[in-house]
Amino acid sequence: MTGSVFQAILDALRSADDLYHRLVLLVGREGTGKTSILRAVAAEFGADVVNANLELSKELLELTARQRILNLPKVLDRVIEHRTSPVILDNLEILFDKSLGQDPLRLLQGVSRNRTVLASWSGTFTGDRLVYAEPGHPEYRVYDSPDAQIVHMTGKASAAPAHTI
């Protein structure tokens, strides 16, 4: 199964080049091996896996709560601006922190406008619904028909809606 997920990611990354948002999400519940797959993809491209929680926390530490909310999109862009393409992001939980008042999918779409981004997503993708966390969890999010390439840890892939450039 790992090989089919790896291949599905490579295929999604190739097809993402023609999309408005060059975003590929690797979707699976916690503990399903997303980080291992991301590391294998990173090795294939000679890229690093960026620990978003760690890198963003370092950058946001000195800012006030209000400054964090206002500056998070710029900080995320700055953290990844000089990375090898594709930019590979793992540990995205900080983006879902309610105190930051952000739409995590929109943030990822924003940074994927000018570069290809592969990001892990702890949740599920069923039909055309992308879900983060469980209902009742404070960070629970649901997106219908997300504008991204989706690769599920089962090896299934879903193309983004037709927003090609």
Side-chain angles (χ1 to χ4, degrees), residues 4 6 57 62 64-65 67 73 132 141 144 159 165:
S4 64
F6 181 81
S57 293
E62 299 298 321
T64 66
Q67 289 172 325
Y132 181 86
R141 297 281 185 134
D144 291 319
I165 55 174

Side-chain angles (χ1 to χ4, degrees), residues 1-101:
M1 184 180 312
T2 301
S4 64
V5 174
F6 181 81
Q7 188 58 52
I9 290 171
L10 295 180
D11 294 343
L13 289 170
R14 276 193 290 278
S15 65
D17 285 341
D18 296 329
L19 299 175
Y20 186 77
H21 295 112
R22 294 183 281 173
L23 177 61
V24 177
L25 297 175
L26 177 58
V27 178
R29 296 191 186 277
E30 287 187 30
T32 56
K34 294 183 301 294
T35 298
S36 297
I37 296 286
L38 292 178
R39 287 182 183 144
V41 172
E44 178 79 11
F45 287 95
D48 296 320
V49 176
V50 179
N51 181 330
N53 286 340
L54 179 63
E55 296 299 324
L56 291 172
S57 293
K58 285 193 272 186
E59 294 286 327
L60 297 173
L61 189 61
E62 299 298 321
L63 302 177
T64 66
R66 181 76 177 139
Q67 289 172 325
R68 290 174 186 160
I69 293 168
L70 295 173
N71 292 311
L72 182 59
K74 287 182 251 176
V75 170
L76 178 58
D77 195 53
R78 192 169 55 242
V79 163
I80 67 172
E81 71 183 338
H82 298 294
R83 304 282 177 161
T84 303
S85 187
V87 175
I88 302 173
L89 298 173
D90 198 11
N91 304 310
L92 301 177
E93 294 82 4
I94 193 170
L95 300 180
F96 293 85
D97 186 319
K98 288 291 189 186
S99 70
L100 294 174

